[in-house]
């Protein structure tokens, strides 16, 4: 979800499609009016309903996570509506599956945009990048299911939580402390080509420089499944720890290969690199022994809010696993829900009103994590949790260190998008 890149040709086609539709779409800020209750409304808001949009992946490479995100957001909306909705209005989500295809995402956006007040999820960095100009011109507050710091700085696109590079800065600090690394030591970093991997690499490289370590990089593609060559190269280089910014399959392949070779150095990945399904595979024991996960979100056992989410989710979806998509989806819709409540209080449910309410959220806590959205150029938080895999734990993770930030995270210069 955070990492797969599409061919440049697809992005060009998507851009052409957008240029063709931009002139013909007349929704946005021109349809604003006041309802009978004195609330200013815009696209997606009627006297009885507030409609949100969701562009997700239910049939592509991130289908399982996409399903979890959709489920979590529907759970939130169901609970919100049961408590009275927003301004006496029922909240609905129009879900469109793009299968992680930019062209399909553009078509789905063109179809749904005129009738939504905000976008509660947009899966995939390539999709967000292709639609970013439209989101800004339509004043459509959007929550991407992507966490690259290059998405910061935009008025209507909001990353929830820390970014890939900030997570890696906090993660490297943890590895240095717990593995007692010294100046001059080497650490490996296996990373996906593209925005996810390269953003994480930037953070890791900065943190390593601060600790006087050398990073030995190994770039891979999302299609790579056999990491024997990378593990061999890192072992020969004498690295004392390995970072991996890739998908769960690559994390399992790296840990499994290293363990089989007797190369049992600490391995650290970020949230997209782990899935609880891995714990039921033969590599599960090695993951419990070697892997740690740096994440902007708490584990399901960490605090009462997370425990309640786990309980409510399993009650509504008893056959579905708890995974990072549940937390990501819930976080985004929770923030948007608070934005809608604030916009209602201000009697302005236009797109601009919702976005303005969002930017005033400077002390919002979601699932135990304090978030500040008042400065669009900065992450909502600089804090990260450290977890470790545990087969019997809800979501497959238990906490190692609570949310914390390190000084290097604040001195690091965030890349510009």
């Amino acid at each position: 979800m955070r990492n797969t890149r599409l061919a440049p040709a697809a992005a060009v086609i998507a851009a052409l499609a957008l240029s063709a539709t931009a002139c013909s779409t007349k929704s946005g800020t021109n349809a604003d009016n006041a309802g009978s209750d004195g609330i200013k409304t815009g696209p997606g808001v009627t006297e009885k309903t507030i409609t949100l949009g969701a562009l997700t992946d239910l049939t592509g490479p991130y289908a399982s996570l996409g399903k979890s995100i959709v489920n979590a957001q529907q759970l939130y909306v169901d609970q919100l509506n049961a408590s009275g909705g927003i301004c006496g209005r029922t909240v609905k989500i129009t879900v469109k599956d793009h299968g992680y295809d930019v062209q399909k995402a553009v078509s789905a956006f063109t179809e749904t945009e005129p009738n939504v007040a905000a976008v509660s999820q947009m899966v995939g960095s390539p999709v967000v990048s292709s639609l970013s100009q439209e989101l800004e011109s339509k004043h459509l507050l959007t929550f991407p299911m992507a966490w690259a710091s290059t998405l910061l700085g935009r008025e209507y696109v909001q990353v929830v939580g820390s970014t890939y590079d900030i997570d890696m800065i906090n993660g490297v600090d943890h590895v240095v402390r717990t593995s007692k690394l010294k100046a001059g030591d080497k650490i490996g970093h296996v990373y996906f080509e593209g925005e996810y991997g390269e953003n994480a690499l930037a953070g890791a490289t900065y943190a390593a420089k601060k600790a006087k370590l050398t990073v030995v990089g190994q770039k891979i593609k999302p299609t790579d499944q056999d990491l024997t060559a990378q593990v061999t190269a890192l072992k020969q280089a004498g690295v004392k720890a390995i970072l991996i910014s890739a998908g769960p399959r690559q994390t399992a392949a790296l840990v499994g290969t290293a363990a089989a070779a007797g190369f049992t150095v600490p391995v650290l990945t970020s949230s997209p690199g782990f899935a609880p399904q891995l714990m039921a595979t033969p590599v599960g024991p090695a993951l419990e022994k070697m892997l740690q996960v740096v994440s902007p979100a708490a584990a399901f056992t960490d605090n009462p809010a997370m425990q309640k989410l786990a309980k409510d989710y399993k009650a509504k979806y008893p056959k579905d696993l708890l995974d990072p998509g549940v937390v990501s989806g819930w976080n985004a819709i929770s923030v948007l829900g608070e934005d809608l409540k604030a916009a209602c209080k201000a009697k302005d449910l236009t797109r601009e009103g919702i976005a303005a309410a969002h930017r005033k959220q400077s002390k919002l806590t979601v699932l135990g994590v304090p978030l500040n959205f008042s400065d669009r150029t900065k992450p909502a938080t600089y804090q990260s949790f450290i977890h470790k895999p545990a087969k019997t734990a809800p979501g497959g993770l238990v906490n190692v260190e609570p949310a914390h930030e390190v000084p290097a995270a604040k001195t690091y210069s965030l890349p510009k998008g």
Side-chain angles (χ1 to χ4, degrees):
M1 175 172 49
R2 293 180 171 190
N3 36 42
T4 303
R5 307 298 295 173
L6 296 176
V12 172
I13 293 171
L16 291 174
L18 278 177
S19 64
T21 58
C23 296
S24 62
T25 303
K26 297 183 180 180
S27 65
T29 61
N30 295 329
D32 300 343
N33 55 74
S36 61
D37 54 3
I39 305 292
K40 289 179 64 179
T41 61
V45 182
T46 70
E47 294 280 328
K48 295 183 178 181
T49 61
I50 299 173
T51 302
L52 309 176
L55 299 185
T56 194
D57 178 9
L58 297 175
T59 54
Y62 295 103
S64 60
L65 282 176
K67 180 182 178 183
S68 296
I69 294 167
V70 169
N71 285 352
Q73 295 199 341
Q74 189 59 53
L75 172 64
Y76 177 91
V77 166
D78 288 347
Q79 294 180 352
L80 179 66
N81 289 333
S83 65
I86 301 289
C87 275
R89 293 164 169 83
T90 298
V91 179
K92 298 180 179 179
I93 306 177
T94 299
V95 178
K96 293 291 183 180
D97 170 33
H98 56 56
Y100 216 87
D101 182 305
V102 170
Q103 291 172 265
K104 291 180 180 178
V106 169
S107 296
F109 178 81
T110 302
E111 179 184 351
T112 58
E113 179 273 322
N115 302 306
V116 300
V119 177
S120 62
Q121 61 161 298
M122 186 173 284
V123 170
S125 296
V127 174
V128 179
S129 296
S130 295
L131 291 169
S132 60
Q133 289 186 353
E134 281 285 275
L135 299 175
E136 295 294 313
S137 67
K138 301 298 182 185
H139 299 180
L140 191 59
L141 182 62
T142 297
F143 293 84
M145 295 294 108
W147 291 262
S149 58
T150 49
L151 293 174
L152 300 175
R154 309 178 194 194
E155 185 65 27
Y156 296 98
V157 174
Q158 182 61 66
V159 177
V160 177
S162 53
T163 50
Y164 302 130
D165 43 4
I166 297 301
D167 277 346
M168 273 299 164
I169 292 172
N170 292 331
V172 169
D173 171 77
H174 173 78
V175 170
V176 170
R177 286 187 287 105
T178 57
S179 299
K180 297 181 172 55
L181 301 187
K182 305 182 298 296
D185 284 345
K186 298 177 181 178
I187 57 173
H189 196 159
V190 178
Y191 63 97
F192 273 162
E193 62 182 6
E195 195 169 51
Y196 162 39
E198 289 164 18
N199 192 227
L201 176 66
T205 301
Y206 181 81
K209 184 177 180 181
K210 284 285 187 181
K212 298 181 180 179
L213 306 175
T214 299
V215 176
V216 180
Q218 294 284 317
K219 183 188 293 188
I220 62 174
K221 298 179 180 180
T223 53
D224 290 340
Q225 302 293 325
D226 184 353
L227 300 189
T228 302
Q230 288 76 20
V231 170
T232 300
L234 294 176
K235 185 177 182 180
Q236 290 176 346
V239 303
K240 299 295 180 66
I242 301 173
L243 314 174
I244 178 165
S245 302
R249 289 183 179 180
Q250 287 78 18
T251 298
L254 183 145
V255 171
T257 301
F263 185 40
T264 55
V265 297
V267 178
L268 180 133
T269 189
S270 48
S271 185
F274 177 80
Q277 292 91 333
L278 297 178
M279 303 311 296
T281 69
V283 78
L287 292 171
E288 287 189 310
K289 180 179 180 180
M290 296 171 58
L291 185 66
Q292 294 188 326
V293 181
V294 57
S295 171
F300 283 105
T301 56
D302 277 4
N303 59 54
M306 289 293 295
Q307 293 164 14
K308 182 178 186 303
L309 173 58
K311 181 180 178 181
D312 292 349
Y313 189 87
K314 292 303 290 184
K316 186 173 179 64
Y317 309 106
K319 296 182 180 180
D320 294 331
L321 275 177
L322 293 164
D323 64 18
V326 175
V327 183
S328 298
W330 184 270
N331 279 341
I333 195 69
S334 295
V335 174
L336 181 51
E338 293 303 314
D339 297 339
L340 292 172
K341 292 174 186 177
C344 170
K345 187 175 182 180
K347 295 187 177 299
D348 189 353
L349 283 171
T350 64
R351 288 178 175 177
E352 293 86 349
I354 295 168
H358 174 69
R359 289 297 165 207
K360 293 178 182 177
Q361 303 280 15
S362 61
K363 295 180 179 179
L364 183 63
T365 297
V366 178
L367 296 178
V369 178
L371 302 169
N372 180 355
F373 300 105
S374 62
D375 188 343
R376 64 184 182 180
T377 66
K378 296 180 180 179
T381 178
Y382 283 84
Q383 296 186 359
S384 306
F385 294 83
I386 305 294
H387 302 136
K388 64 175 295 184
K391 185 176 182 180
T392 59
L397 293 171
V398 294
N399 184 257
V400 174
E401 285 188 353
H404 67 287
E405 65 180 59
V406 300
K410 289 292 184 69
T411 58
Y412 167 75
S413 296
L414 293 158
K416 304 294 183 182

